[in-house]
Amino acid sequence: MLRSDFGIDLHTAGQGRTNLPHVRADMTLKPVNRVACAFGAEIIFDMAGEKGMLRHAATRAGIPTSVYEAGEPMKFQRG
């Protein structure tokens, strides 16, 4: 059985919007906290996520997962 050590779900804003860089993660869980803090984002939303969300399901399956949101849709930017 193949398995991931960590999960990172990458998102941009919806059409016509821009997201400032931020992380969404269940910070009460040490492995998730470690992944979330590794991004170095100034904003972290401490939230477990809802049933049906990838990070919620993956974390419950034993794969610590965080969401990183930033930028605009349909746009690629060099770092």
Side-chain angles (χ1 to χ4, degrees):
M1 177 175 167
L2 297 176
R3 182 182 159 112
S4 296
D5 294 324
F6 300 98
I8 300 170
D9 189 3
L10 302 173
H11 285 241
T12 62
Q15 192 64 30
R17 299 178 68 186
T18 301
N19 278 347
L20 294 175
H22 69 276
V23 173
R24 297 179 187 195
D26 184 350
M27 300 299 281
T28 64
L29 305 172
K30 285 185 182 183
V32 174
N33 186 304
R34 198 168 92 222
V35 171
C37 290
F39 282 98
E42 291 185 32
I43 301 168
I44 298 177
F45 291 101
D46 181 7
M47 47 198 326
E50 299 175 13
K51 188 176 179 181
M53 292 180 168
L54 173 63
R55 74 183 155 100
H56 182 267
T59 298
R60 286 183 57 96
I63 303 167
T65 302
S66 297
V67 173
Y68 179 77
E69 299 219 21
E72 300 174 59
M74 306 300 290
K75 184 173 183 179
F76 293 93
Q77 296 170 282
R78 294 193 187 274

